[in-house]
């Protein structure tokens, strides 16, 4: 994945990606577009979510374990999540 590809991620793409990773970390299961569309703050159809997921797949951030499955983060995607998107709370002594 190229750095300019990550820079091209808009807020909607970042939010969808974040929801995919968080759901995966909670359940350990692939995440479908219908489930993502239900948990987003903005009202997006599952078809719109699938379009963003296709872009995220092209960047190498997520993948489908098989054709009819939801999506899972790749190793690269998890690294991106930790490095760039994870919100870290205040550290205590």
């Amino acid at each position: 994945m190229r750095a300019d590809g990550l820079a091209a991620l808009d807020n909607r793409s970042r939010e969808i990606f974040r929801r995919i990773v968080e759901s995966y970390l909670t359940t350990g299961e692939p995440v479908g577009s219908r489930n993502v569309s239900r948990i987003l703050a903005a009202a997006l159809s599952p078809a719109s979510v699938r379009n963003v997921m296709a872009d995220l797949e092209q960047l190498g951030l997520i993948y489908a374990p098989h054709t009819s499955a939801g999506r899972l983060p790749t190793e690269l995607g998890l690294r991106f999540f930790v490095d760039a998107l994870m919100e870290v709370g205040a550290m205590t002594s």
Side-chain angles (χ1 to χ4, degrees), residues 29-82:
E29 299 290 326
V31 185
S33 58
R34 173 172 245 153
N35 290 334
V36 173
S37 71
R38 289 179 180 162
I39 59 176
L40 287 173
L44 284 178
S45 71
S48 294
V49 172
R50 279 192 300 276
N51 287 335
V52 173
M53 287 176 147
D55 294 339
L56 295 172
E57 275 190 89
Q58 274 192 319
L59 290 172
L61 297 174
I62 62 174
Y63 74 101
H66 55 82
T67 304
S68 62
R71 301 300 182 268
L72 296 169
T74 62
E75 186 175 327
L76 182 65
L78 289 172
R79 173 73 350 206
F80 174 64
F81 177 79
V82 169

